Amino acid sequence: SDDPTIDGDGDGDFENEKDATMVVIGDMVLLDSVMTVLDIDEDDLIEAEDILKYSVTITNMGTKEAENLVFVSQSLPSELIYQTNSIYVNGENQTDVEADDKAEYDLLDNQVVVNLDTLNKGETVKVEFQTKIKSTVADLTLIEVQGYVDSDNSAKEYTDKDGNDVNGDNPTTVVVGNS
């Protein structure tokens, strides 16, 4: 419900509610994409030279297949270095070379591009890639990463850090020097 006084999941937190009454009307593609980040060393502290693994979960919640689906990271922030051959699609390693497989790292635009072809209604695909925080990045530096998914027959959908459409499509963030 869109009613802010309803605690749909019963956890007592009214701020984290997703709209459980979403209804797709008509024959259309409805994409959702959530991007999360994990510090690979798992020490609960984001530091310079840490490796960060970004995971993007893309779901077609519509009633029609998404055709020529593509995921594109926006240009990676200057604080990050892309880690060679770190792109995975549904657990399968991809190369960084255009037209070699589904994915590429575009060095000129400093972005990850993944061609996902078709995503059927109700299907989900997971894209992962890794970056390294440059050694010169100071503590308390905010790093924001966002991307988008698009297809021939859908609207562009930006990644969201929390999957809550009510608060908008927000970039995935880390703060160097914070846990």
Side-chain angles (χ1 to χ4, degrees):
S1 166
D2 287 329
D3 186 337
T5 63
I6 294 177
D7 181 17
D9 59 8
D11 68 355
D13 183 359
F14 294 85
E15 297 295 319
N16 69 348
E17 298 304 311
K18 292 186 179 179
D19 190 347
T21 61
M22 181 180 67
V23 176
V24 177
I25 298 174
D27 197 20
M28 64 182 288
V29 175
L30 182 60
L31 299 173
D32 188 51
S33 59
V34 177
M35 180 185 286
T36 58
V37 63
L38 174 68
D39 179 7
I40 294 295
D41 67 14
E42 298 180 357
D43 67 356
D44 293 330
L45 182 64
I46 306 292
E47 303 171 290
E49 298 193 2
D50 275 359
I51 304 291
L52 302 177
K53 179 168 111 178
Y54 289 89
S55 299
V56 182
T57 304
I58 305 161
T59 304
N60 182 355
M61 301 184 316
T63 58
K64 188 175 181 179
E65 68 183 26
E67 299 168 354
N68 296 315
L69 181 67
V70 64
F71 164 76
V72 179
S73 71
Q74 293 180 326
S75 184
L76 295 174
S78 62
E79 298 88 358
L80 299 177
I81 302 167
Y82 169 75
Q83 296 298 283
T84 304
N85 294 320
S86 68
I87 305 171
Y88 284 79
V89 176
N90 285 337
E92 184 178 323
N93 191 224
Q94 307 291 304
T95 67
D96 293 337
V97 181
E98 183 179 8
D100 205 24
D101 51 25
K102 294 181 182 205
E104 70 172 289
Y105 171 66
D106 181 344
L107 182 62
L108 183 63
D109 291 324
N110 194 29
Q111 62 187 10
V112 173
V113 179
V114 183
N115 294 299
L116 298 163
D117 301 318
T118 299
L119 187 62
N120 292 317
K121 62 182 181 180
E123 283 188 339
T124 296
V125 64
K126 187 173 190 176
V127 172
E128 298 172 305
F129 62 93
Q130 294 180 11
T131 63
K132 182 176 183 177
I133 301 173
K134 289 182 178 177
S135 62
T136 55
V137 175
D139 281 354
L140 302 180
T141 300
L142 175 70
I143 301 173
E144 296 183 331
V145 174
Q146 192 166 36
Y148 65 87
V149 292
D150 202 0
S151 75
D152 288 351
N153 56 339
S154 70
K156 184 182 289 186
E157 168 69 13
Y158 285 90
T159 59
D160 186 25
K161 69 179 181 179
D162 62 7
N164 183 350
D165 287 331
V166 173
N167 65 7
D169 291 329
N170 297 296
T172 301
T173 59
V174 296
V175 177
V176 177
N178 270 358
S179 54

